């Protein structure tokens, strides 16, 4: 039995060694701009939310052209309603699984998808001052996107962020019927070291 376990351990070591050589963990920085479409009830529908995001990112390379990245980002969004300026600030934690396609080893393309978790830091402005209208502190959403990789260090992409589980709180529903829901386009870049 000991001999069998020893042989099994040796085989597993030799089989997994190439996988370990392909797996790389890299640190980088990500940032970009956001454009949101927000809807509050049926009365206020705005598509001119603008903002930005930035933060550190970790990327893990896996075999078969797969990569997993995770980031902690500070996100700031603002809306000019005409009478008032509304600000929303979040700490966002997106995770993405990416499938990479390479062209000549220099230019690559990728498609990605994954969850994003947002934690509201603060919200200010006339829209959020009403006692009966409060945004939820934490929201969940789904990111889908595509982009280009230039060499091994730089990539640009576009992502669409879809709010999830409307009934449970991505939309903030109040007793008087207020509901706030936002869908986001992100265009950004990532530099990996």
């Amino acid at each position: 039995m000991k001999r069998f376990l020893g042989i099994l351990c040796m085989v597993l070591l030799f089989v997994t060694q190439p996988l370990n050589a392909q797996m790389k963990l890299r640190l980088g920085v990500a940032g970009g701009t956001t454009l949101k479409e927000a809807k509050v009830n049926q009365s206020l529908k705005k598509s001119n939310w603008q903002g930005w995001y930035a933060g550190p990112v970790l990327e893990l390379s896996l075999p078969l052209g797969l990569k997993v990245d995770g980031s902690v980002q500070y996100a700031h969004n603002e809306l000019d309603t005409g009478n008032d300026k509304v600000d929303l600030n979040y700490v966002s934690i997106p995770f993405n699984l990416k499938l990479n396609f390479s062209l000549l080893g220099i230019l690559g393309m990728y498609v990605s998808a994954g969850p994003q978790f947002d934690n509201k830091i603060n919200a200010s402005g006339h829209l959020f001052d009403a006692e009966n209208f409060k945004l939820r502190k934490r929201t969940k959403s789904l990111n889908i996107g595509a982009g280009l990789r230039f060499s091994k260090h730089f990539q640009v992409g576009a992502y669409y962020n879809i709010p999830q589980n409307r009934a449970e709180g991505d939309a903030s529903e109040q007793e008087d019927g207020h509901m706030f829901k936002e869908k986001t386009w992100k265009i950004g870049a990532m530099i990996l070291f």
Side-chain angles (χ1 to χ4, degrees), residues 50-159:
Q50 296 177 9
W52 54 269
Y53 67 95
V57 63
L58 280 174
E59 182 182 77
L60 177 64
S61 298
L62 302 172
L64 304 175
L66 292 175
K67 295 184 186 287
V68 176
D69 70 39
S71 182
V72 177
Q73 301 170 346
Y74 175 80
H76 172 79
N77 298 294
E78 59 186 45
L79 167 69
D80 186 0
T81 62
N83 300 330
D84 194 13
K85 182 179 171 184
V86 177
D87 289 320
L88 281 174
N89 296 302
Y90 289 95
V91 171
S92 298
I93 303 173
F95 295 98
N96 290 303
L97 177 64
K98 295 180 179 178
L99 179 59
N100 294 282
F101 308 95
S102 180
L103 301 173
L104 303 174
I106 298 172
L107 178 65
M109 297 179 288
Y110 67 87
V111 292
S112 66
Q116 177 171 312
F117 304 96
D118 296 317
N119 188 17
K120 180 181 63 125
I121 299 171
N122 64 13
S124 64
H126 177 69
L127 183 64
F128 303 112
D129 289 340
E131 289 181 19
N132 59 355
F133 189 81
K134 303 242 185 277
L135 291 176
R136 293 195 182 242
K137 188 161 179 78
R138 292 177 184 86
T139 60
K140 295 183 283 187
S141 55
L142 174 68
N143 285 324
I144 54 173
L148 297 174
R149 295 181 76 92
F150 302 95
S151 74
K152 296 179 181 179
H153 302 285
F154 185 68
Q155 66 185 31
V156 294
Y159 306 91

